[in-house]
Every structure is written in C-alpha cells, then in structure tokens.
Amino acid sequence: MLSYWFPTPLSFWWPLSLTIVFAVLAVIAVGVTLARREEEPDASAIAVFYGIGLGLAALTEFMMFLDAAFGWSLAAAFTISASVVTFAAVVVAAVAILAIIIAIGMQFQEENTYRSTHRLAH
C-alpha cells in the first residue's frame, strides 16, 4: 500500500520490511484489543477493524514484495491495465485507512464511556 507510491525501481526490501511491520502491528493491535474484552464490550468489533485495516496493509505490501522481488503481480496474472491497478490500490488503501480510523474512533468512544461510568479511573 505505501510502497506502491514509492518511486520506481523499488528495492524488494522496502515492501518486505513494511509487510513485516504491518503484520506485527496487526497482531499486537488485535491481541491487545481482545485482551480488553472485559472493560470494552465492543473489543471484538474493534479488533476486527484493526485486523482488516492492518491486515490489508500487510497483504498489499506482500504483493508489492512479490512484484519487486520476483516480477509476479496480479496485474500481469490477470492482464489488468495500469489504471485499474491504480484504482484498486486507492480503493484498498481507503478501505484499510477507514477500517483503522473506525477502530480508533470506537476505542476512544469505549474508553470515554468507561471513564465516565467509573469515576475512579484515570
């Protein structure tokens, strides 16, 4: 997702590194969010949104790695034009960003609700 917008030619280390970073962030965000299920009733939904957003980011970076390292891409496999690939990249990026924003918003809302109902909480 991010490395798609980098200038070419692209070293395969960039998308590989970003794949690892996004995958680790997804595991951490989902794990930490699910650990708070007792305090946050919507923790499972929040974790799903984090998983979708960060998972899509990791998946798209992995696909960029495959293209940069081995020359394999969905566009070449399905003979998709460059404009369609650009449109798909923008749509996937928008979905990933929207899912992460929704998760963050839900988490802040749950935190504010918890703090207002539990006055002794910080």
Side-chain angles (χ1 to χ4, degrees), residues 6-95:
F6 289 178
T8 55
L10 182 66
S11 171
F12 70 91
W13 288 107
W14 281 106
L16 180 61
S17 300
L18 290 172
T19 299
I20 294 167
V21 167
F22 283 129
V24 168
L25 282 175
V27 169
I28 290 171
V30 169
V32 168
T33 303
L34 288 177
R36 296 183 49 113
R37 279 184 274 194
E38 289 182 22
E39 296 89 10
E40 295 183 14
D42 292 335
S44 296
I46 295 169
V48 167
F49 282 116
Y50 277 133
I52 290 171
L54 294 169
L56 275 175
L59 180 66
T60 56
E61 288 302 332
F62 182 68
M63 293 177 72
M64 284 299 298
F65 164 71
L66 292 176
D67 186 26
F70 305 110
W72 186 87
S73 70
L74 285 177
F78 296 110
T79 60
I80 301 172
S81 69
S83 61
V84 173
V85 171
T86 303
F87 176 75
V90 169
V91 169
V92 169
V95 168

